Amino acid sequence: MKTTDSIYKQLPDTLLPWYKQNARKLPWRQDTEPYHVWLSEIMLQQTRVEAVRTYYLRFLEQLPSIHALAEAPESQLFKLWEGLGYYNRARNLQKAARVIETQYNGHFPNQYEDIRALPGIGPYTAGAIASICFNQPYAAVDGNVLRIITRMTENDASIDRMQTKTEIAAQLEKIYPKNDCGQFTQALMELGATICTPKSPKCTECPANEFCRAYANGTMLQYPVKQPKKDKRLEDRTVFLLQCGDRYALTKRTESGLLSGLWQLPNVLGKMDVNHALHTADAFGVQPVELYKQMHRIHIFTHIKWQMTCYHILCTKKTSDFVWATAQELQTTYALPTAFRMFLETLNENSKTENH
């Protein structure tokens, strides 16, 4: 344990100078405003940095404050989030904003336990905000940090276990530098994102390679240790892109379950052939007249894989069971999850052609 302690103790003096020289210029690093840091950390969950950059700037342009977020219509919130996935993140952002408005007079709480208690904020995000915004010695232990530490210490405990994360966080918090908590948190994140990467770590460029056990023993790719992944459940879906004139049918998903409460193209469980799909469209009451196009796509969620067949069907009747939107409204007004939006690509291309 003593040798492990010595590895931890060397981290601040090693990583802080390196970070100051090598930190990427990212828009959410321009200040330590809690709203900005919080928003970026929520967006960065399960999402690449380059993808988040554009979303982050657009989101703040339209909702520049916690108050604006708390007051935003759900339709605007989801449109700003469209394409990022995991829509409960957006819902929880707004729930938390409303809690901040009512319980903290619009001021972001500055104590870890209060931050942690906000909707949608777990130990990692709370640690990131507390350290970066309020210079408090709380670790933000995500996949990057787990990878760094388990490699440096050759820790073969599964990182899927909460106990492993808790123990590593506790070890890190013992050595947090008093006046550089936020910089140290970001240095760890940066090292994992740019140097100590999952498949091709740049060990010769790593500032900590002198005391990294995995580097010394050539075991980098053996860490971190994870539990075997379960196979995703396969689910066939038939999707209907119903077009009546210049409008397309939309419906809302139920308020619970996968993609709850979001707009979608009409769809049913199971895989239909063309005739069955046309009969089903007829049963919708839209009076189908022509199959315009057939498309196949796969969309992967955390625990499930949708194998989707979409039928673009031209119709003559706009039934009131659906909302009927123009291609322009699909672009600017209605937020559709990627699982359904990918079937609208040809509409976007047609629209661009018409605009030119």
Side-chain angles (χ1 to χ4, degrees):
M1 181 58 74
K2 287 183 180 178
T3 51
T4 300
D5 285 348
S6 72
I7 290 172
Y8 279 97
K9 286 176 182 175
Q10 292 177 77
L11 284 171
D13 288 343
T14 302
L15 295 190
L16 287 170
W18 170 83
Y19 177 71
K20 285 170 184 172
Q21 290 291 320
N22 295 279
R24 290 168 295 171
K25 294 190 186 314
L26 300 172
W28 46 88
R29 286 181 177 164
Q30 303 308 305
D31 57 57
T32 56
E33 161 59 43
Y35 177 43
H36 299 167
V37 173
W38 170 42
L39 176 63
S40 70
E41 290 299 340
I42 298 298
M43 283 187 166
L44 285 163
Q45 293 168 11
Q46 312 287 337
T47 313
R48 292 179 302 106
V49 165
E50 285 311 311
V52 167
R53 192 189 296 261
T54 303
Y55 278 95
Y56 172 83
L57 293 171
R58 186 173 65 230
F59 196 100
L60 284 183
E61 185 180 339
Q62 292 197 34
L63 303 176
S65 65
I66 290 173
H67 178 73
L69 170 58
E71 296 293 317
E74 189 179 76
S75 58
Q76 181 187 17
L77 178 67
F78 286 161
K79 192 64 186 173
L80 288 170
W81 205 265
E82 184 182 61
L84 274 175
Y86 302 95
Y87 283 81
N88 275 339
R89 292 184 295 171
R91 283 196 183 90
N92 284 329
L93 268 173
Q94 188 168 64
K95 285 180 187 174
R98 289 170 175 169
V99 170
I100 293 167
E101 284 282 284
T102 56
Q103 294 186 20
Y104 300 98
N105 297 316
H107 299 292
F108 204 98
N110 61 10
Q111 296 302 309
Y112 176 87
E113 293 303 331
D114 293 333
I115 299 170
R116 176 74 179 82
L118 292 171
I121 293 187
Y124 166 77
T125 305
I129 296 168
S131 59
I132 295 170
C133 304
F134 304 112
N135 195 40
Q136 296 172 3
Y138 289 98
V141 178
D142 67 349
N144 282 330
V145 175
L146 288 168
R147 186 167 59 254
I148 292 166
I149 298 301
T150 55
R151 282 175 175 169
M152 286 187 184
T153 61
E154 286 194 322
N155 182 345
D156 58 7
S158 171
I159 62 168
D160 300 304
R161 295 168 58 236
M162 183 54 70
Q163 184 181 347
T164 305
K165 297 175 186 176
T166 303
E167 288 172 356
I168 287 175
Q171 287 289 98
L172 283 170
E173 286 168 4
K174 291 177 186 174
I175 52 91
Y176 253 71
K178 285 186 179 178
N179 298 317
D180 274 318
C181 292
Q183 293 280 294
F184 185 57
T185 287
Q186 296 196 86
L188 284 164
M189 294 175 180
E190 192 75 354
L191 189 72
T194 63
I195 301 293
C196 195
T197 55
K199 294 180 181 176
S200 304
K202 301 170 185 163
C203 296
T204 57
E205 299 175 33
C206 180
N209 60 20
E210 289 185 10
F211 53 88
C212 175
R213 288 182 178 176
Y215 179 58
N217 297 322
T219 59
M220 295 81 70
L221 298 185
Q222 294 178 29
Y223 301 93
V225 174
K226 299 179 182 178
Q227 294 170 352
K229 285 186 178 179
K230 294 179 181 177
D231 290 338
K232 296 185 192 304
R233 180 164 56 89
L234 296 179
E235 191 172 281
D236 287 320
R237 289 219 157 243
T238 300
V239 179
F240 296 86
L241 179 55
L242 303 174
Q243 179 179 355
C244 190
D246 65 346
R247 293 182 177 268
Y248 303 86
L250 294 178
T251 183
K252 258 197 174 181
R253 292 181 68 80
T254 59
E255 290 300 324
S256 61
L258 189 64
L259 303 177
S260 57
L262 299 176
W263 289 103
Q264 63 176 353
L265 298 178
N267 64 96
V268 295
L269 196 58
K271 184 176 181 180
M272 296 183 179
D273 61 22
V274 174
N275 287 333
H276 192 181
L278 288 169
H279 282 305
T280 301
D282 192 43
F284 287 154
V286 296
Q287 295 181 359
V289 292
E290 181 186 345
L291 174 65
Y292 181 73
K293 190 174 184 180
Q294 182 175 337
M295 296 169 272
H296 300 278
R297 299 284 189 277
I298 289 175
H299 191 75
I300 299 173
F301 299 95
T302 306
H303 303 298
I304 190 170
K305 179 194 283 189
W306 278 2
Q307 299 179 135
M308 309 167 78
T309 302
C310 178
Y311 296 101
H312 184 168
I313 298 172
L314 304 183
C315 314
T316 58
K317 185 178 180 183
K318 295 196 286 284
T319 172
S320 60
D321 289 341
F322 301 127
V323 168
W324 295 85
T326 64
Q328 179 66 21
E329 287 172 333
L330 289 172
Q331 278 293 307
T332 59
T333 306
Y334 295 96
L336 270 76
T338 303
F340 298 105
R341 181 156 292 279
M342 56 188 174
F343 294 115
L344 304 179
E345 289 169 4
T346 54
L347 306 188
N348 297 341
E349 289 165 10
N350 293 341
S351 175
K352 287 175 187 173
T353 304
E354 290 165 11
N355 290 338
H356 285 302

